[in-house]
Amino acid sequence: MSVPLARPARAAVLLTAGSLLLAGCGDAQPNTVKAAVTLDNCGHEVRVPAAPEHAVSLNQGTTEIMLSLGLADRMAGTATWTDPVMKGLAKANAKVPRIADDNPSFERVLDADPDFVAASFVSTLGKGGVATREQFEKLGVPTYVSPSDCAEKDNSAGGDGTRAGALGIDTIYGEVRDLATVFGVRKRGDDLVASLQRRMAKATKGIDASDVTLLYWFANSESPYMAGCCGAPGIITRALGAKNVFDDTHEEWPQINWETVADRDPDVLVIGDLTRESQTAESAAKKIAFLESNPVTRNMDAVRHKRYVLLSGQAMNPTIRTVEGVEQVAAGLREFGLAK
């Protein structure tokens, strides 16, 4: 399919502010048109003329927020999955077409006739990704990128970027509220944030892991991606009062050789359990088999004592499932007798 020079947006996008049916700030009914929303998002001013009715989410993280807000009936497609859908969302997710398991083409997204496009990563809506934000916006389609991929973060050098400062959980809560506002369901957004805050408080109540060192391994056994100081693993680590053995690097996911990993010898290995197949050793089972057979890693303290905590890829990215990561790492530390 060739991309048209000018593609008419859906009717909702063509409405002007003066013709919108104004409604209150509570949750919208399925077909209620809301007033225009303007957001400052990752350096872009995003104007959404009306609550989307045909949105496309290009990453699992934004998809799961939309599904958690009860927006499945307003979604025209999803893409780029690393894990099974979040618990409790399978029925809603089944209603939404999956455009692709990985990055779809620009044409495939346009075929879904979106009136709003969201992504978790700057790279998804940038050069080399699905398309640039400007390409969508020229066609009248507003775009949104998770603020957590922009907060104090430089993505210009490629890879997974580098952070000048630590990401906070409030940035993730802010994304929930942003999307709830765009779709005219602000109360649902506030309720979801309140639920996540309660879970965080419960998971961290009374925990003291100040003597514990952690290492986060996302993917790849040949040149492994380990977490630096300041992304989603940093949120987990700080919430528990622990220490990341690679908190001396501000790269989001630096590739670090196994000799250096063994030399740092963390108390606990937090391991990504991914279902995708784009890297080596994606599943936790394959990662553990590697660790226990490799002569460089098999004598590490955490490997000898099998101190492994398994997390979904989404829990290790800045998403609402980072809260799930806090819960699971906290539970693991308590089980290992390492948390006071």
Side-chain angles (χ1 to χ4, degrees), residues 18 84 104 117 142 191 224 244 291 326 335:
V117 172
D191 290 346
N244 175 359
L291 289 166
V326 173
E335 180 183 340

Side-chain angles (χ1 to χ4, degrees), residues 1 7 10 53-58 74-78 96-99 104-117 136 141:
M1 164 185 168
R7 181 184 179 88
R10 294 180 65 82
E53 296 289 342
H54 224 239
V56 169
S57 168
L58 297 174
R74 298 210 232 161
M75 298 178 68
T78 72
V96 183
R98 185 172 295 194
I99 297 173
S105 67
F106 186 33
E107 291 85 353
R108 288 285 299 278
V109 179
L110 294 181
D111 282 343
D113 202 13
D115 57 6
F116 180 75
V117 172
F136 279 109
V141 182

Side-chain angles (χ1 to χ4, degrees), residues 18-273:
S19 65
L20 294 174
L21 172 62
L22 301 180
C25 292
D27 286 6
Q29 296 302 313
N31 295 311
T32 300
V33 179
K34 289 272 189 171
V37 171
T38 300
L39 299 173
D40 180 5
N41 172 240
C42 290
H44 287 250
E45 183 179 279
V46 181
R47 186 177 184 278
V48 185
E53 296 289 342
H54 224 239
V56 169
S57 168
L58 297 174
N59 293 106
Q60 186 173 348
T62 45
T63 296
E64 290 183 339
I65 293 176
M66 292 183 190
L67 294 176
S68 296
L69 291 172
L71 299 171
D73 61 339
R74 298 210 232 161
M75 298 178 68
T78 72
T80 320
W81 290 72
T82 58
D83 306 293
V85 70
M86 183 174 154
K87 184 178 179 181
L89 297 179
K91 186 174 180 181
N93 185 54
K95 300 176 182 178
V96 183
R98 185 172 295 194
I99 297 173
D101 290 332
D102 298 309
N103 271 358
S105 67
F106 186 33
E107 291 85 353
R108 288 285 299 278
V109 179
L110 294 181
D111 282 343
D113 202 13
D115 57 6
F116 180 75
V117 172
S120 298
F121 305 107
V122 169
S123 59
T124 304
L125 285 174
K127 292 180 180 179
V130 174
T132 66
R133 299 184 74 167
E134 290 77 13
Q135 284 175 281
F136 279 109
E137 288 159 7
K138 283 179 181 178
L139 302 177
V141 182
T143 62
Y144 179 88
V145 173
S146 299
S148 56
D149 202 44
C150 310
E152 295 196 73
K153 191 175 181 209
D154 181 2
N155 294 294
S156 63
D160 294 298
T162 302
R163 290 191 192 271
L167 176 68
I169 190 69
D170 285 345
T171 303
I172 296 173
Y173 297 156
E175 178 180 1
V176 173
R177 292 191 174 105
D178 279 353
L179 290 173
T181 298
V182 164
F183 283 89
V185 291
R186 293 183 188 177
K187 185 177 184 305
R188 296 184 203 174
D190 290 341
D191 290 346
L192 177 55
V193 168
S195 173
L196 294 170
Q197 291 172 326
R198 287 192 295 270
R199 289 171 57 191
M200 282 284 287
K202 182 178 179 181
T204 59
K205 184 177 180 180
I207 197 165
D208 179 5
S210 55
D211 295 329
V212 180
T213 56
L214 306 173
L215 178 145
Y216 298 82
W217 178 16
F218 190 84
N220 200 305
S221 59
E222 297 166 357
S223 187
Y225 291 90
M226 305 295 181
C229 67
C230 298
I235 293 174
I236 298 170
T237 304
R238 291 191 304 277
L240 303 176
K243 178 180 174 62
N244 175 359
V245 293
F246 288 116
D247 67 1
D248 54 350
T249 175
H250 284 251
E251 290 181 60
E252 193 88 333
W253 290 101
Q255 290 181 277
I256 299 172
N257 65 61
W258 287 114
E259 288 77 13
T260 302
V261 170
D263 184 61
R264 299 287 174 103
D265 200 20
D267 296 317
V268 176
L269 297 174
V270 184
I271 294 174
D273 190 14

Side-chain angles (χ1 to χ4, degrees), residues 296-318:
V296 177
T297 58
R298 65 190 180 194
N299 290 318
M300 291 169 58
D301 191 62
V303 176
R304 287 189 294 108
H305 292 92
K306 299 184 183 296
R307 290 196 292 262
Y308 310 125
V309 177
L310 312 187
L311 297 187
S312 68
Q314 291 303 302
M316 298 173 84
N317 280 325

